[in-house]
Amino acid sequence: MNDVLPPPWGPLVETYGSPLYVYRLDEVRSAHADLAAALPADARVLYSLKANPHPAVVAELARRGCGAEVSSRSELLTALDAGMDPGAVLYTGPGRSAAEAETAMRAGARLFSVDSAAQYGVLRRAAARTGTEAEVLLRVNPMRATWGSGLTMTGVPSQFGIDEEELLARPERYAQAEGCPVVGLHFYLGSNITSADALARQFGDSLEAATRVCGRLGIQPRLLDLGGGFPRAYARSDEVLDLGSIGPAVQKRLAECFPDPAHRPRLLFESGRHLVGAAGSLIARVLDVKESKGRTFAVLDSGINHLGGMSGLGRLPRIETEFVCDPPRQEGEEAVPVDVVGPLCTPLDFWARGRSARLRAGDLVVVPNVGAYGLTASLLAFLGRDCPVEVVLDGDTVAGASRLVYERRPLSSAP
Ligand SMILES: *Cc1c(COP(=O)(O)O)cnc(C)c1O
């Protein structure tokens, strides 16, 4: 634990107040460069906006040549506004109404991932109605789960993807090309996979599944989205995993599975947390330190409404906040176990239990590595407190500051 609140936090809090999110674009650039260097040279990385849809973050990745993986109209518009190439924006998700599909096509979406035969029908009809030349990646739930996944989403019963068995048994359901051809497959097997070997093995398994499925469908895939799962620590200090071995291993399997170089699909990969996790920090202030029946509680001005809302629901690992205190503590001042809680009126509002810390009212604490699944993955509207200001830093320069605001708008008629 560091005892000094390093720059730029202090001056930023003085200007913008607390709590405060800070995103550093140079960290986004270096994470993207690392990931691109670890993957085959002509592969394309899609940024999953779910991790952090802040427009400045998305625009920075667009400038780096990233595409986008989006799953709502709002994410789609953010990606296109940020300058993403519409041909490199993949619209994903297991449930799309006819209206959503048509809206997406009218807004410029061209590439869709499809999770069922019925959803393929929805998309074909939307393409016909809007006169759109859309393209489809069939999302595959492979026969076998690859072990070692952090959060396994496929190879097991799932709402995501079409079972490989179904694709092999009934290929005719997916062969209706008109206006909406299948140009490839989409895999996404899990999130936060913390071994480069497991990642490479997962991509290799997906390539093999792709040869089986594409052979049966009778298509030469132009695009294969192998998904991601690239890891990054969440709300604690990072040990960066060396991804360097993945590219050559994937390249080799690709050449084995698709031996004809003239018909080798272009590979896509997806990442949210790895690209932006390290770029974000949340700064909060300790409002009160109190004792209750032998325990110490530090009450902050930020809680699960700003960070870890899904953690409050048991969805994400508990936050292991690294506390950086201001001002520095005196020698000999004892660290004690502290329950670090937020200001919300629910006992679910806590970030950490029994963390060893020396906190006083007025301290600022910094939570590192919350650039992904921070603000928008939290319970923003719960108890109606303001969102923190989000500051974007480019080097030492403030590139922008804004606050997300939600509001209720009366409707004069049905929407
Ligand atoms: C959530 C998601 C991602 C991003 O996952 P990260 O762990 O943030 O990299 C990528 N693709 C799909 C389909 C997702 O649902």
Side-chain angles (χ1 to χ4, degrees), residues 202-283:
Q202 168 200 288
F203 297 142
D205 289 354
S206 295
L207 284 167
E208 256 174 41
T211 60
R212 293 192 293 269
V213 170
C214 292
R216 186 81 175 114
L217 294 175
I219 60 165
Q220 290 280 359
R222 185 164 62 72
L223 297 173
L224 284 181
D225 183 339
L226 299 184
F230 306 104
R232 196 103 241 186
Y234 181 69
R236 56 188 160 77
S237 19
D238 210 0
E239 267 180 40
V240 181
L241 179 71
D242 181 8
L243 299 171
S245 55
I246 293 177
V250 171
Q251 197 68 56
K252 180 163 171 286
R253 291 295 286 279
L254 178 66
E256 286 163 6
C257 291
F258 296 89
D260 179 0
H263 292 115
R264 205 163 277 164
R266 181 169 194 194
L267 298 184
L268 305 175
F269 293 89
E270 300 166 355
S271 175
R273 74 181 69 239
H274 191 83
L275 288 174
V276 302
S281 306
L282 174 58
I283 302 144

Side-chain angles (χ1 to χ4, degrees), residues 166-185:
E166 149 81 4
L167 290 164
L168 297 179
R170 309 181 66 180
E172 71 287 350
R173 300 176 96 188
Y174 306 93
Q176 293 111 322
E178 205 177 312
C180 213
V182 174
V183 299
L185 304 178

Side-chain angles (χ1 to χ4, degrees), residues 179-197:
C180 213
V182 174
V183 299
L185 304 178
H186 176 205
F187 296 84
Y188 182 76
L189 306 194
S191 180
N192 212 16
I193 298 167
T194 51
S195 139
D197 274 357

